[in-house]
Amino acid sequence: MRTFFLGLALATSSALAQGSDDLDALQLADQAQIPVASASDWHSFVEVALGQAATPHGPTLAGQRLSFDLQFDQRFAPEWRAVFSDRLDLNRQQQPGQASVDKDVNTIRDAYLSWQPQAHQLLDAGRINVPYGAASGYNPSDYFRDYAVRSAVSVDPSSLKKNRMGSVMLRGQQLWDSGSLTALYSPQLAQQANAGSYHPDLGATNAQDRWLIAYSQKLPSSMAGQLTPQWLLQGGAHTHPQIGMNLSALLNDASVAYLEYSGGRSGSMLSQALQGKDDTVFRNRLASGITYTAANKLSLTLEYEYNGSALDDQAWDALRKGIKQGAPLPYLQYRQWQQNQQELATRQEVFVYASWPDALLQHLDLSAMQKLNLADHSRLYWLEARYHLEKLDLALQWQRNSGEASSAYGAALQKYSWQAQLRVYF
């Protein structure tokens, strides 16, 4: 793994020598962030995956997955548009000498109607996936991510953001040339999550009343170049309002820095997970990093992540020692709650991501990711090689979790795994 990242670093160093090509690299980065409009209202694919996973102290598990992915976005009247997005994963896992275990999971990502009475006004109603956040690995201002992932087919943060359930809400947007204002309300529709294969699971995404206001305004260029900060205010039943902010800035022709922040009064994660004593104070969460895109298309991202509501180093060690002392329940409750919330297990982590389109040969994309927990030094490694054909993708993914058994990443059920995928687009 270190050899792989070293290779990427060498590739970047070579590109750095080509300073005159930095402008081209920036243009490539900009192009990567702009969705490409499609002439078709329908997008669908079928994906077949085969793989193996090794548990820390158990046998190797063989897994197979068949997935159907559908996205539909059509304007059926001048002012009206319908959006539907769904994914069905048919999973099978088997240990040597035992019967297979089947688990089917359907995820409704979007299902809503959009009304556009005027060119700069939008009103949406239905189930909507609203991912917020400027950061890459950890998004403290992504307020609708908790309990939204039903089937994690990859640990890639972009996959987790995309392949999750939206929340049922009413959303209004006012747009103007240099900014936008968004307001949404998401009501409570159920109280308990339901893991049933084809259940809409409104108890996961709409377990309480929530609201959010987002405001973006481009600053005058004379003040700070082309900065367009986004300000968020989020609240709901039984929660204190949280302030969020997203900002990215161009450092030079090839480098972009970003900052994502969320703060407000809240209880600690341990108190919330164990339903313990109220310890509400003002707490901060943030993620900040820099992305450099070289002339050869290689992009490297380095990100620092902080969660002021998670356990500090001493409290994390104490919680882990409870397992050896015969009291594992608090640790298990904390980890389950933290994973459902998609939060950091401890205060600080470092995230590194590398993406190299058309690496070595055309249509071959390489990606690599490492997460490092700074409290227990456990790590998550992930690699992907993906080759694109006109209507076909071939991909190979590899993942490894390292660290002590009760560490942030060493406690994962899979020590390492690999998966080969074939995706056919229609």
Side-chain angles (χ1 to χ4, degrees):
M1 185 67 194
R2 291 179 178 177
T3 303
F4 183 86
F5 275 102
L6 180 59
L8 294 178
L10 290 173
T12 305
S13 299
S14 174
L16 281 170
Q18 307 175 35
S20 61
D21 294 333
D22 280 352
L23 182 57
D24 293 336
L26 175 64
Q27 292 171 344
L28 289 170
D30 290 341
Q31 291 168 9
Q33 296 171 1
I34 300 174
V36 178
S38 172
S40 175
D41 298 325
W42 294 83
H43 299 271
S44 62
F45 66 79
V46 174
E47 186 173 83
V48 179
L50 304 173
Q52 284 188 332
T55 58
H57 307 290
T60 298
L61 306 177
Q64 301 92 44
R65 174 172 54 83
L66 176 62
S67 299
F68 302 90
D69 193 290
L70 172 66
Q71 298 178 57
F72 171 75
D73 187 339
Q74 185 175 51
R75 187 175 295 276
F76 58 91
E79 298 177 353
W80 290 89
R81 174 169 148 253
V83 178
F84 181 73
S85 178
D86 186 90
R87 181 183 178 105
L88 173 62
D89 296 312
L90 309 178
N91 301 286
R92 173 175 292 182
Q93 199 170 62
Q94 187 172 26
Q95 295 184 14
Q98 297 188 15
S100 64
V101 177
D102 298 342
K103 184 179 181 181
D104 303 340
V105 182
N106 188 69
T107 301
I108 303 174
R109 295 177 296 220
D110 294 298
Y112 64 92
L113 290 175
S114 180
W115 179 45
Q116 188 173 6
Q118 297 184 23
H120 296 89
Q121 290 181 344
L122 292 169
L123 186 64
D124 305 322
R127 193 161 207 171
I128 309 173
N129 183 10
V130 285
Y132 283 100
S136 298
Y138 172 56
N139 297 112
S141 70
D142 189 13
Y143 296 112
F144 288 82
R145 71 185 187 280
D146 54 315
Y147 292 91
V149 176
R150 300 198 87 201
S151 177
V153 295
S154 171
V155 295
D156 187 344
S158 62
S159 173
L160 293 174
K161 268 190 172 184
K162 178 182 178 182
N163 295 307
R164 71 184 192 188
M165 296 183 292
S167 299
V168 176
M169 64 180 65
L170 180 64
R171 180 177 66 179
Q173 299 179 77
Q174 177 69 47
L175 314 175
W176 57 92
D177 291 342
S178 58
S180 65
L181 177 65
T182 300
L184 64 85
Y185 172 69
S186 177
Q188 181 188 33
L189 298 176
Q191 294 184 338
Q192 297 293 329
N194 190 316
S197 296
Y198 299 93
H199 197 280
D201 207 3
L202 296 177
T205 59
N206 289 80
Q208 60 178 344
D209 293 333
R210 292 186 290 181
W211 53 266
L212 180 142
I213 298 173
Y215 172 72
S216 299
Q217 175 62 56
K218 182 183 294 184
L219 299 179
S221 57
S222 58
M223 292 178 55
Q226 297 298 317
L227 295 180
T228 306
Q230 180 186 60
W231 297 95
L232 304 167
L233 182 62
Q234 188 270 335
H238 313 300
T239 60
H240 296 279
Q242 304 291 305
I243 299 172
M245 189 272 287
N246 288 289
L247 178 66
S248 61
L250 190 65
L251 299 182
N252 54 46
D253 290 343
S255 302
V256 176
Y258 57 84
L259 172 64
E260 180 174 347
Y261 169 81
S262 178
R265 291 176 58 79
S266 68
S268 67
M269 285 175 47
L270 184 64
S271 173
Q272 295 180 70
L274 274 58
Q275 299 183 347
K277 181 180 178 182
D278 184 8
D279 56 358
T280 297
V281 296
F282 194 97
R283 302 179 190 276
N284 301 297
R285 300 175 176 87
L286 67 86
S288 182
I290 183 171
T291 296
Y292 174 81
T293 303
N296 62 356
K297 303 183 183 181
L298 172 61
S299 292
L300 292 176
T301 296
L302 176 63
E303 180 177 298
Y304 169 76
E305 302 166 345
Y306 175 81
N307 179 2
S309 65
L311 295 176
D312 59 22
D313 294 5
Q314 292 74 24
W316 178 239
D317 289 341
L319 188 68
R320 297 171 61 197
K321 286 179 181 177
I323 301 174
K324 298 179 181 179
Q325 297 169 353
L329 188 58
Y331 173 87
L332 296 174
Q333 288 180 305
Y334 179 80
R335 293 308 306 272
Q336 185 64 54
W337 192 90
Q338 167 248 322
Q339 291 170 10
N340 287 334
Q341 297 286 324
Q342 297 191 60
E343 281 288 357
L344 305 181
T346 61
R347 291 282 172 91
Q348 301 178 84
E349 287 199 0
V350 172
F351 172 81
V352 181
Y353 195 93
S355 176
W356 195 359
D358 294 328
L360 307 177
L361 68 156
Q362 194 173 15
H363 304 310
L364 175 64
D365 298 345
L366 299 180
S367 301
M369 177 181 73
Q370 180 183 162
K371 291 186 174 183
L372 168 63
N373 183 284
L374 296 182
D376 56 32
H377 301 102
S378 61
R379 289 175 170 84
L380 166 65
Y381 302 99
W382 176 82
L383 299 174
E384 182 188 77
R386 180 173 294 272
Y387 187 73
H388 305 279
L389 297 172
E390 185 177 0
K391 293 288 185 180
L392 203 70
D393 272 9
L394 299 171
L396 183 62
Q397 296 180 348
W398 176 85
Q399 178 181 337
R400 182 190 175 197
N401 296 284
S402 69
E404 297 181 3
S406 59
S407 60
Y409 294 109
L413 296 177
Q414 298 178 354
K415 185 176 181 180
Y416 72 84
S417 63
W418 66 266
Q419 188 178 84
Q421 300 176 359
L422 169 64
R423 178 180 296 183
V424 181
Y425 295 94
F426 298 94

